Amino acid sequence: MNFLIKILYLISKLPLKILYIFSDIIFFLNYYIVGYRKNVITQNLRNSFPEKPDEEIRAITKKFYLNFSDYLVETVKSFSISETESRVRMQHINQELFHEAKKEGKNIILLAGHVFNWEWINALAKVIPQEHCHPVYRKVNSEFWENQMKKVRNKFGNEALEANEVILNIFRNKNNGNSAYMFVADQTPHISHVNYGLEFLNQRTPVFIGYDKLATRMDLAFIYCEMKKVKRGFYQVNYHRIYPDGEKFEENEVVKKFHKLLENTLHKHPDNYLWSHRKWKYQDSIKSYGSEKNR
């Protein structure tokens, strides 16, 4: 394993223009030969965009494979990418929201989707006034990749937290505007934790609601991270504050608003999402379904 780590680290030191040659090879193999989860990807796209003709679905599928291949090599690049290069390649827009939350004395919950490349958002810790920045991650079966991805998420002064420990950390931590927690919030809950679902991309969708429970119990600032791929190797993330309709958030209000914002993002750039996941495989296990469309 140590040898593999050294090899990956050496590869990550290569310039991105070289790594994108590897990406092109991965794309060719994945799209034309292996067909990695092509049936899943195609079905997810057809169900999500029933109004789109087959020709457009095929074009989106091909672009997805290109973006997915870039994501893979960019994740390897994350092992050694410098703060300077990261800040050049990922532009953070509307940073004033973080200063507003700091003045209000409210800790921040950042909500992002699996939009490429969410892994590069980590350098945000170096540009916002919050002293503590906590990327939230879920454990994976491979101990090797678990350790490597935790190292990546701990770069730039971040303090990564495993999903099972983050809620307790938030409740115990002082709510003083000095902490930010980064959630990839469109995770699919395990079947044993599928409780609530809503309509997302024209489908009954099981959703993770842990962060929504925080909204009704604590006075926190919720911010949506809208990812956009500007061109190969360059991204923007535009931050949007999520406000309650009333004086405070109602139950399931944040989860609905997040998924509506994410849905809007995907309608603009449908090829830039992780369609290869079986996101809707547990839809028949939903116990409580949102009776109204996302606001």
Side-chain angles (χ1 to χ4, degrees):
M1 283 299 182
N2 288 335
F3 178 73
L4 180 58
I5 292 171
K6 290 177 181 178
I7 292 296
L8 283 173
Y9 185 78
L10 288 173
I11 293 173
S12 76
K13 298 286 285 185
L14 293 171
L16 268 170
K17 63 181 180 181
I18 302 298
L19 290 177
Y20 285 136
I21 296 174
F22 290 102
S23 175
D24 292 339
I25 295 170
I26 293 169
F27 161 73
F28 180 84
L29 293 173
N30 257 348
Y31 185 73
Y32 289 105
I33 298 177
V34 178
Y36 171 71
R37 290 193 176 182
K38 187 169 282 190
N39 290 336
V40 173
I41 295 160
T42 302
Q43 193 61 53
N44 282 344
L45 285 167
R46 283 176 176 162
N47 291 342
S48 299
F49 306 104
E51 75 284 359
K52 294 186 183 298
D54 285 347
E55 183 179 354
E56 188 174 356
I57 293 295
R58 286 193 292 270
I60 294 170
T61 300
K62 187 173 184 178
K63 288 181 181 178
F64 159 77
Y65 276 99
L66 287 165
N67 290 329
F68 180 64
S69 300
D70 283 355
Y71 160 74
L72 294 175
V73 300
E74 288 167 1
T75 299
V76 173
K77 184 65 179 177
S78 298
F79 294 172
S80 64
I81 194 168
S82 68
E83 178 191 342
T84 300
E85 184 174 8
S86 182
R87 290 176 64 173
V88 168
R89 293 187 175 278
M90 177 69 81
Q91 183 182 10
H92 301 274
I93 301 173
N94 286 347
Q95 294 180 34
E96 63 270 17
L97 295 181
F98 297 91
H99 293 273
E100 290 174 6
K102 178 90 169 179
K103 290 178 182 177
E104 294 170 13
K106 296 180 181 180
N107 288 343
I108 294 170
I109 305 296
L110 289 163
L111 303 176
H114 282 92
V115 180
F116 303 125
N117 187 340
W118 71 91
E119 294 287 0
W120 277 9
I121 202 172
N122 281 0
L124 175 69
K126 290 293 187 180
V127 299
I128 60 176
Q130 282 69 28
E131 183 178 346
H132 304 287
C133 205
H134 303 283
V136 179
Y137 70 96
R138 294 177 73 174
K139 284 189 175 181
V140 295
N141 293 330
S142 167
E143 184 178 352
F144 169 74
W145 283 111
E146 167 83 11
N147 292 334
Q148 296 315 302
M149 294 314 298
K150 189 171 182 178
K151 287 179 183 178
V152 168
R153 293 184 173 98
N154 274 329
K155 291 184 68 172
F156 310 124
N158 286 298
E159 305 161 58
L161 292 171
E162 204 277 322
N164 290 330
E165 63 186 11
V166 65
I167 301 298
L168 184 60
N169 183 283
I170 292 171
F171 280 125
R172 286 180 174 177
N173 194 17
K174 190 174 182 180
N175 186 18
N176 58 1
N178 206 28
S179 296
Y181 298 84
M182 303 176 178
F183 284 79
V184 181
D186 61 338
Q187 300 277 4
T188 301
H190 186 270
I191 190 169
S192 61
H193 295 108
V194 173
N195 294 309
Y196 184 73
L198 47 75
E199 184 179 333
F200 173 65
L201 292 172
N202 297 298
Q203 298 167 82
R204 288 171 58 92
T205 306
V207 294
F208 176 73
I209 59 173
Y211 59 88
D212 190 276
K213 292 179 179 179
L214 293 168
T216 58
R217 298 181 186 181
M218 297 181 70
D219 191 14
L220 301 165
F222 287 81
I223 295 176
Y224 171 62
C225 310
E226 183 176 23
M227 303 289 298
K228 177 183 176 182
K229 187 172 187 176
V230 179
K231 60 181 181 178
R232 199 175 208 183
F234 293 89
Y235 298 85
Q236 286 180 350
V237 54
N238 199 342
Y239 298 100
H240 303 274
R241 183 81 175 260
I242 301 176
Y243 291 100
D245 288 337
E247 187 176 336
K248 61 180 182 179
F249 285 110
E250 300 292 332
E251 185 179 14
N252 299 323
E253 185 176 357
V254 171
V255 72
K256 287 179 181 179
K257 289 186 171 180
F258 162 70
H259 279 86
K260 184 61 179 178
L261 288 163
L262 178 58
E263 188 174 76
N264 290 340
T265 298
L266 299 184
H267 275 285
K268 288 185 282 187
H269 305 286
D271 54 285
N272 212 37
Y273 188 61
L274 193 61
W275 296 108
S276 54
H277 273 202
R278 295 184 173 92
K279 184 172 181 60
W280 290 276
K281 61 183 176 180
Y282 298 140
Q283 60 181 200
D284 293 335
S285 300
I286 295 172
K287 299 178 180 67
S288 174
Y289 185 70
S291 58
E292 59 182 350
K293 286 184 73 74
N294 307 351
R295 289 176 280 181

